[in-house]
Amino acid sequence: MTHLLLAATVTPSEQIFSREPGRETAMAKDILGEAGLHFDELNKLRVLDPEVSQQTTELKEECKDFVDKIGQFQKIVGGLLELVDQLAKEAENEKMKAIGARNLLKSIAKQREAQQQQLQALIAEKKMQLERNELKISLYSRRVGKKKKKPLYHSSDFD
């Protein structure tokens, strides 16, 4: 640690005038101030100017408040990020449900289309069967009609 030695040269005439109250203290403060040393409010010798020391203390307190506020901000942001992540997961789940429901509807639509095609094919088959049956009935009716027109017996059979 470096010690500063202050040497103040005081002439005898200055010693006589220095008896005024407060003058010695002011003079000592001036000499120490020039050397970069100052007295605080408790009259303790300090290296820093009291004003600079006061500003340093205020800055330190402001920094502490700022750090506290940053910590609170980080907590708030962390909570917000957790909430956003949770909402994103819920949205993803709902999206997957919607995709599943859409795929199910597409599947049902395809099944209905296939069932419709099967029913149309069955209808066409039944129509063909109906036409065949109508043709058979028509042929059968003609045969029966011809037999009715043809007499069962001939008049020459009785002569």
Side-chain angles (χ1 to χ4, degrees):
M1 177 179 233
T2 309
H3 296 285
L4 288 176
L5 294 176
L6 298 176
T9 318
V10 179
T11 61
S13 62
E14 289 176 345
Q15 287 179 352
I16 296 172
F17 294 113
S18 65
R19 304 263 183 230
E20 297 174 21
R23 174 133 199 242
E24 290 175 352
T25 308
M27 200 167 103
K29 284 185 179 178
D30 288 342
I31 293 171
L32 290 173
E34 288 174 9
L37 299 174
H38 306 279
F39 286 101
D40 65 3
E41 65 275 352
L42 300 175
N43 288 325
K44 289 187 178 182
L45 191 59
R46 303 287 180 196
V47 176
L48 284 178
D49 183 15
E51 188 175 314
V52 172
S53 178
Q54 171 91 20
Q55 291 174 350
T56 303
T57 304
E58 289 174 3
L59 180 62
K60 182 179 176 182
E61 289 174 8
E62 287 178 22
C63 288
K64 184 182 178 296
D65 291 343
F66 179 76
V67 168
D68 291 343
K69 287 179 182 179
I70 291 293
Q72 290 174 351
F73 178 74
Q74 285 178 335
K75 286 180 185 177
I76 291 170
V77 168
L80 183 62
L81 286 175
E82 287 177 15
L83 180 62
V84 168
D85 285 342
Q86 182 182 358
L87 290 175
K89 287 177 184 176
E90 289 177 13
E92 187 67 24
N93 287 339
E94 291 299 319
K95 179 181 169 184
M96 295 308 269
K97 285 180 185 178
I99 289 172
R102 183 181 65 194
N103 289 343
L104 180 63
L105 288 175
K106 284 182 181 179
S107 172
I108 290 172
K110 286 180 182 180
Q111 287 176 351
R112 284 187 180 167
E113 187 178 318
Q115 186 179 18
Q116 184 179 11
Q117 288 175 354
Q118 288 175 349
L119 290 174
Q120 287 175 346
L122 184 62
I123 288 171
E125 184 182 327
K126 294 295 180 181
K127 281 183 180 179
M128 288 175 51
Q129 189 177 7
L130 176 64
E131 288 175 9
R132 282 193 305 265
N133 287 341
E134 286 176 346
L135 183 61
K136 286 180 184 178
I137 291 172
S138 168
L139 289 174
Y140 182 71
S141 296
R142 282 189 208 158
R143 283 186 193 164
V144 170
K146 283 184 183 179
K147 286 185 180 180
K148 283 186 181 179
K149 288 184 183 177
K150 186 177 178 185
L152 293 175
Y153 56 89
H154 205 276
S155 58
S156 61
D157 290 338
F158 296 111
D159 295 327

